[in-house]
Amino acid sequence: MEAAAEAPGGPAALSCFSYNQDCTSLAIGTTTGYRLFSLSSVDQLDQVHESNEIPDVYIVERLFSSSLVVVVSHARPQQMNVYHFKKGTEICNYSYSSNILSIRLNRQRLVVCLEESIYIHNIKDMKLLKTIMDTPPNTTGLCTLSINHANSYLAYPGSATSGEIALYDGNTLKTACTIPAHDGPLAALAFNSTGSKLASASEKGTVIRVFSIPGGQKLYEFRRGMKRYVNISSLVFSMDSQFLCASSNTETVHIFKLEHLTDSRPEEPPTWSGYMGKMFQAATNYLPAQVSGMMNQDRAFATVRLNISGQRNICALSTIQKLPRLLVTTSDGHLFIYNLDPQDGGECVLIKKHSLLGSGKTEENKENNLRPPLPQSYAATVARQSTVPSTSTMPGYSEDGGALRGEVIPEHEFATGPVCLDDENEFPPCATKRHLKTSKLVTKWNIHPQPTPRVWL
């Protein structure tokens, strides 16, 4: 859920943008620093925090809706800085042997991806737990980490020439399996919220596959298109794992529905078209596997036509004000919010456009100043969804975006000894500074003097 951007020059040109783990917050990096926004409202885009202390930020990641934020700048591309932005303090920083390409985090682990190595830290104390050395060349820093701390699965390319996925268990610190996902090199990876499914796309961008985790069996196969190859820039599940969204360098965003058709449907009366359909389906059994597979691939359930093409963008599927929404952030500094009909799909309706680089002002949909009424089937679907039993919850507090004070937060968001970042004792208070040096990595801790185990890489 992260993208680098090339925006026109200016006092605060957009350089990167990312959603947090549950898509309740948006972080952007600019030439002057970084900003954090809450995504709890359609009509209003609330800026949670702005920092101008570090210029030329090209990676900024927020841990859920907490006060922990990780930042990397072009001024020091080999150094990761971890901040408590509410207190305005630096928790720690790490320096690596080469440029940092991407960072992923959940409530248990923080993962730093370099071109040929991956570092896994314990997010409770930022201790380095594991270094995966000599990974296949990964120039884009492609990797994804399950947001479910119960498994903390990590997926990254297992080959630079084929679409093999390496699956690593971030809790046991052992390799789980390898998945031969595509013929060509990988371009996008994404876990669902529970870490039980993994979606992937290759550099061709025509086919998207979903695998079970940790077994690696193929569950779904979706076809984005056939006419042209595209660069998939964003691949993301909805939090309930019912939908999968893919965006690219084209003007079309595709949303696929994860459902299997069953044979329990009532028998339809015999018709000529029905007879021909069954004959066609039976004929696919005698065709080559590649051809029959293409015919059986599912198509998009819903789509969006952007007014731009060729720009970098990332998407998110989120529930805002109790309705399902599609969020699209583009490299020109805009956030588009669409309504998604979870029952009938079709073309999503643009309801709001926000400027991320302005003074917080929003831009209305010029073509439709009056929002079209929602179809009855859409309202009925939303009503039905609210009756589904919820998962185990517990009282909690999540700062700024997401849940408000006193509201319940899903229990799966909490690791043992949750990272609240509201507690003064959550991380040791800033005092003296110590340096821990190794052959590959330099760590700077803001902690009280105490014995620190030496880490050799």
Side-chain angles (χ1 to χ4, degrees):
M1 295 185 214
E2 175 191 24
E6 295 182 2
L14 192 65
S15 57
C16 67
F17 39 95
S18 65
Y19 300 103
N20 67 341
Q21 293 76 14
D22 56 3
C23 300
T24 59
S25 177
L26 173 65
I28 66 169
T30 69
T31 54
T32 60
Y34 69 90
R35 301 179 187 180
L36 304 176
F37 299 93
S38 170
L39 299 176
S40 58
S41 172
V42 170
D43 295 322
Q44 186 174 354
L45 185 64
D46 295 322
Q47 182 171 292
V48 174
H49 178 71
E50 180 176 7
S51 172
N52 296 321
E53 295 180 2
I54 300 181
D56 297 324
V57 171
Y58 73 94
I59 293 177
V60 54
E61 295 285 345
R62 185 182 183 186
L63 177 63
F64 287 91
S65 295
S66 73
S67 296
L68 186 146
V69 62
V70 183
V71 179
V72 183
S73 76
H74 283 296
R76 294 183 177 179
Q78 298 180 7
Q79 179 174 298
M80 171 187 70
N81 300 277
V82 183
Y83 294 103
H84 190 301
F85 72 81
K86 294 287 282 189
K87 297 179 182 177
T89 58
E90 181 184 79
I91 297 170
C92 68
N93 64 62
Y94 271 84
S95 294
Y96 301 85
S97 57
S98 61
N99 291 356
I100 299 171
L101 301 180
S102 63
I103 291 176
R104 301 289 181 263
L105 59 162
N106 62 23
R107 294 190 182 274
Q108 201 81 318
R109 298 289 182 257
L110 186 150
V111 175
V112 180
C113 182
L114 311 184
E115 184 173 348
E116 295 186 352
S117 58
I118 295 176
Y119 294 82
I120 302 176
H121 297 261
N122 180 18
I123 205 166
K124 293 288 292 181
D125 54 13
M126 300 300 167
K127 178 182 177 182
L128 179 65
L129 300 177
K130 180 71 175 180
T131 304
I132 306 175
M133 302 296 293
D134 302 322
T135 58
N138 185 5
T139 58
T140 61
L142 175 62
C143 69
T144 184
L145 177 68
S146 168
I147 68 173
N148 181 8
H149 67 268
N151 51 54
S152 292
Y153 285 119
L154 170 68
Y156 59 93
S159 169
T161 57
S162 68
E164 181 181 273
I165 302 173
L167 184 67
Y168 192 87
D169 190 325
N171 285 346
T172 64
L173 303 178
K174 295 180 180 179
T175 299
C177 70
T178 58
I179 304 173
H182 302 269
D183 294 332
L186 296 170
L189 294 168
F191 282 108
N192 67 337
S193 60
T194 61
S196 60
K197 295 181 178 66
L198 175 65
S200 66
S202 72
E203 290 183 352
K204 291 182 179 180
T206 55
V207 175
I208 297 168
R209 296 188 172 101
V210 179
F211 301 90
S212 65
I213 298 299
Q217 292 83 17
K218 186 173 71 172
L219 301 177
Y220 304 91
E221 187 168 286
F222 303 105
R223 176 161 289 275
R224 194 211 58 81
M226 296 175 57
K227 296 182 179 179
R228 54 178 174 173
Y229 295 163
V230 299
N231 298 320
I232 300 291
S233 58
S234 179
L235 199 58
V236 61
F237 286 91
S238 59
M239 290 301 292
D240 60 7
S241 302
Q242 292 186 19
F243 300 97
L244 176 65
C245 179
S247 67
S248 65
N249 58 337
T250 68
E251 68 281 358
T252 306
V253 177
H254 297 79
I255 300 174
F256 305 96
K257 193 170 187 178
L258 280 67
E259 61 179 356
H260 285 299
L261 297 178
T262 63
D263 296 330
S264 59
R265 291 175 296 180
E267 185 72 21
E268 297 180 357
T271 61
W272 175 253
S273 60
Y275 173 77
M276 291 301 296
K278 291 182 178 180
M279 289 291 293
F280 180 79
Q281 184 175 4
T284 61
N285 297 326
Y286 300 95
L287 295 174
Q290 185 175 4
V291 177
S292 61
M294 183 176 66
M295 291 181 175
N296 292 327
Q297 288 164 350
D298 292 326
R299 301 303 175 122
F301 170 77
T303 57
V304 164
R305 285 273 181 180
L306 304 176
N307 293 327
I308 58 173
S309 179
Q311 286 192 20
R312 187 82 170 167
N313 65 78
I314 57 171
C315 296
L317 294 168
S318 182
T319 300
I320 301 178
Q321 295 171 322
K322 300 182 180 181
L323 292 177
R325 319 285 188 180
L326 168 66
L327 312 178
V328 182
T329 303
T330 58
S331 58
D332 64 351
H334 288 94
L335 170 65
F336 299 87
I337 302 180
Y338 296 83
N339 270 340
L340 169 64
D341 186 333
Q343 178 174 336
D344 297 328
E347 186 74 14
C348 297
V349 178
L350 176 65
I351 57 173
K352 203 70 176 181
K353 177 182 177 182
H354 296 280
S355 174
L356 301 174
L357 298 176
S359 57
K361 295 181 179 179
T362 62
E363 301 178 28
E364 298 287 350
N365 181 359
K366 299 289 192 303
E367 298 178 357
N368 297 290
N369 289 327
L370 296 177
R371 299 179 186 177
L374 298 176
Q376 180 64 33
S377 59
Y378 178 73
T381 301
V382 173
R384 283 198 299 272
Q385 286 185 340
S386 64
T387 63
V388 178
S390 60
T391 58
S392 175
T393 58
M394 62 181 293
Y397 171 62
S398 180
E399 292 180 7
D400 304 317
L404 300 177
R405 186 181 297 274
E407 193 172 342
V408 295
I409 300 176
E411 187 174 6
H412 72 267
E413 287 193 9
F414 289 88
T416 304
V419 181
C420 298
L421 295 174
D422 290 323
D423 185 354
E424 293 290 340
N425 298 318
E426 181 61 39
F427 287 94
C430 297
T432 59
K433 299 179 181 179
R434 297 187 61 182
H435 292 266
L436 174 64
K437 296 185 178 181
T438 67
S439 58
K440 291 282 186 180
L441 174 149
V442 178
T443 312
K444 177 182 172 184
W445 294 90
N446 291 343
I447 61 176
H448 289 300
Q450 58 182 342
T452 305
R454 189 180 294 265
V455 181
W456 297 100
L457 304 182

